[in-house]
Amino acid sequence: MRAVDAAYPRAKRLHFILDNAATHSSKRPKKALEALGERLVLHFLPPYCPEGNRIERVWWDVHANVTRNHRCKKMQALMAEVDAYLDARNAQRSASPLLRAASARRAA
């Protein structure tokens, strides 16, 4: 928090979006909050909020397009499909179910 405070000295408010990890409500962050006063605003996500967590949406996409109905006999083959899917997904703006078929053809 202090590093962000120092990086944005002109900002009237600094907003942090946090999950509910115990470290976010321990003594150390509370002291920093007291020192920074009203300038720092914390927004806590609900205990489980996949819609608000971008990585959860990625895992849903990987599961829907790779892991849910895979036919890999070995974990190494499944991980190769996941890697290929993520590489293709990262190369474009949005994921497509067609990417799985393309990665399976490349692996064959």
Side-chain angles (χ1 to χ4, degrees):
M1 289 186 241
R2 289 185 186 102
V4 174
D5 179 49
Y8 298 95
R10 294 184 184 168
K12 291 181 182 179
R13 294 255 190 292
L14 298 170
H15 296 267
F16 286 82
I17 300 172
L18 307 167
D19 61 15
N20 288 289
T23 57
H24 296 148
S25 58
S26 67
K27 291 178 185 177
R28 197 170 181 184
K30 286 181 181 179
K31 285 182 182 179
L33 276 172
E34 290 172 10
L36 296 172
E38 293 181 17
R39 186 163 183 258
L40 191 69
V41 181
L42 301 182
H43 303 275
F44 286 91
L45 292 172
Y48 181 69
C49 182
E51 295 84 9
N53 187 342
R54 294 181 71 181
I55 194 65
E56 290 292 337
R57 293 192 300 255
V58 172
W59 297 140
W60 282 346
D61 184 43
V62 169
H63 183 59
N65 291 293
V66 182
T67 62
R68 183 173 290 138
N69 295 312
H70 74 87
R71 294 186 179 177
C72 300
K73 294 186 186 215
K74 296 190 175 190
M75 182 59 75
Q76 186 176 3
L78 178 59
M79 292 310 299
E81 281 196 25
V82 169
D83 286 341
Y85 184 80
L86 289 173
D87 287 344
R89 185 184 194 280
N90 289 335
Q92 65 179 34
R93 230 169 142 62
S94 63
S96 165
L98 298 174
L99 294 177
R100 180 169 184 228
S103 66
R105 283 193 299 270
R106 273 186 268 135

